[in-house]
Amino acid sequence: MVMRLLPIAVATTLLTGCITVGPNYKAPAVAPVQLQGAATDAFSEASPVANWWTQFDDPVLEQLVHDALGGNLDLQVAMSRVRAARAVFTEKRLDQLPHVTAGGSQDRRKQPEATAGGERLYSETYQLGFDAGWELDLFGRQRRAAEAARADLGAERDSLADAQVMVAAEVARNYFELRGSQKRIAVARQTLLNLRDTQRLTETRLELGAGSELDVQSSRARLKAIEADIPLLEVAEVQSRHRLAVLLGQRPGSLDALLQPREVPAFAKALPLGDTSDLLRRRADVRMAERRLAAATARVGVATADLFPRISLSGFVGFLGGDANGLVNGNNKAWSLTPSISWAAFDFGTVRARLRASKAQADGAAAEYEKAVLLALEDTENALTRYAKEQARLAIVVEQASAAHRAAELAQIQYREGSEDFLALLDAQRNQLVADDALVQAQAAVNVGVVSVYKALGGDQLQQPASPVAMRRQGPG
């Protein structure tokens, strides 16, 4: 009786239409952003260029970022995840259609025949044709699964975009830190030259009876202290070079020729930000969290659909006969159609537990999205404030270095003339070194601040040149 009613139930359901159960996803409303830290003279409302690092007019930096976006291994991993998510989405979308397979079989057997008094009979059967199976998506389980897979694909794409922003920023940050270390080494070596001149002067004055052993040893101690600092600065330089090579997907040391010391001035104009009201849409990490929320919401629909029956159709079309030679002819044509129904009518406890779990995961994804929004705002405000303060600090440090240089010159003249003791000269030279080193660090900090701002803004209109191999693997969108 049930098997007689099943085709009628299937036909009736198809005529009345399908139902998609579960919540319909609606993206969270995104209010315009007003950044307090942008309201200073350090920033302008002009639109930045597509690739922000080109504003430094540094061909070495541009080459490094270009090569990193094409060869970074983290980006290759992210691209592979996009390809995997795209394949899963295609699979889930095709699950809504009938699955048809072609096949053939041969069945040879010898067994007792019940109606022949136990006599063993030989039989041979050949089958050739197409098998088909189709789960009728009456309650939207397959549609919700495809919806979740599509959202997962979007999340992986945004994850790739976020990785591109991070790689470009890391390359630029390490590059400016490298240039800062190289400049600090140059300052320390120049200071050594000045201190050696001072030491020779103290030794000459001692020989002439106008100086003291204290002056000679104090000068020597100061000189050795500077010499001891240089190896530490060289370690920082080497580490930055190695980090840049790895970011480009190359072995440490491969960029040594390219990264020879060169002058890199601090960014000395108002930083263009463009329209920051759409910050949350520009941040790939926020977009990724929103897509994760969409996927989790769709999976609530998948779990909800398990509360309802599943109806499937399977069938066969082909040829069935006992002779392989004459199998493909009109007399051997065969077909079958088998509707079936399954329902967790006595296992609702398990189904409802899975539904509660999916709802809890969706709640967690919503909280993750809100967290991503807050972290994006915090990150951006901090980056803007840090950059503005670093620019103000740089202006002060420039004046400090100028005054320290003048003081050291005067102390040197007065010490040579004998109107000032050596401790005053030593203190002036110490202040000069501190001021020069602080100036170099302040210049590097300003440039690193530019990197932090654009990273916080989502990389703006980042245009990444993916490698040809990666693009071939990624395939069409």
Side-chain angles (χ1 to χ4, degrees), residues 129-146:
F130 299 92
D131 292 296
W134 185 23
E135 180 182 336
L136 305 181
D137 196 20
L138 303 181
F139 301 100
R141 191 176 71 88
Q142 303 286 10
R143 290 190 293 278
R144 291 300 192 194

Side-chain angles (χ1 to χ4, degrees), residues 325-342:
N325 295 327
L327 179 62
V328 183
N329 61 57
N331 294 329
N332 289 330
K333 288 182 179 179
W335 65 271
S336 66
L337 177 64
T338 307
S340 62
I341 185 171
S342 63

Side-chain angles (χ1 to χ4, degrees), residues 385-442:
T385 301
R386 186 183 307 112
Y387 175 76
K389 298 302 182 182
E390 289 292 353
Q391 280 284 18
R393 177 174 179 270
L394 176 59
I396 297 172
V397 173
V398 168
E399 295 181 1
Q400 175 193 3
S402 178
H405 272 264
R406 180 57 179 162
E409 292 174 0
L410 294 174
Q412 184 80 4
I413 294 172
Q414 293 175 4
Y415 178 70
R416 287 181 180 274
E417 294 176 349
S419 60
E420 190 65 79
D421 62 18
F422 179 71
L423 292 179
L425 173 60
L426 194 63
D427 186 60
Q429 290 179 333
R430 182 187 299 110
N431 290 337
Q432 178 184 347
L433 172 61
V434 170
D436 287 344
D437 190 68
L439 177 59
V440 172
Q441 293 188 63

Side-chain angles (χ1 to χ4, degrees), residues 345-362:
F346 300 101
D347 196 22
F348 273 178
T350 301
V351 176
R352 293 188 183 280
R354 287 199 298 267
L355 179 57
R356 290 194 300 270
S358 64
K359 289 181 177 179
Q361 291 169 353

Side-chain angles (χ1 to χ4, degrees), residues 24-158:
N24 293 319
Y25 177 71
K26 183 178 180 181
V30 179
V33 173
Q34 293 183 344
L35 297 174
Q36 299 177 359
T40 69
D41 294 337
F43 307 103
S44 73
E45 296 181 355
S47 297
V49 297
N51 293 332
W52 52 264
W53 55 88
T54 60
Q55 297 178 92
F56 290 97
D57 296 323
D58 190 324
V60 176
L61 174 61
E62 293 178 23
Q63 179 181 343
L64 290 172
V65 176
H66 179 277
D67 293 347
L69 291 176
N72 180 267
L73 296 179
D74 287 334
L75 293 185
Q76 293 183 24
V77 172
M79 288 179 184
S80 69
R81 289 174 177 167
V82 171
R83 295 196 301 271
R86 183 184 293 111
V88 171
F89 168 59
T90 301
E91 177 189 2
K92 295 299 182 181
R93 186 173 55 183
L94 292 177
D95 281 345
Q96 302 175 57
L97 304 176
H99 293 275
V100 181
T101 58
S105 65
Q106 177 189 19
D107 182 14
R108 303 178 66 182
R109 66 181 65 189
K110 191 172 184 180
Q111 59 186 15
E113 179 65 31
T115 59
E119 182 182 355
R120 298 179 63 83
L121 299 179
Y122 173 80
S123 64
E124 188 172 9
T125 304
Y126 294 89
Q127 179 177 304
L128 178 66
F130 299 92
D131 292 296
W134 185 23
E135 180 182 336
L136 305 181
D137 196 20
L138 303 181
F139 301 100
R141 191 176 71 88
Q142 303 286 10
R143 290 190 293 278
R144 291 300 192 194
E147 181 182 338
R150 180 191 292 273
D152 284 337
L153 173 57
E156 292 300 340
R157 284 172 172 165
D158 289 326

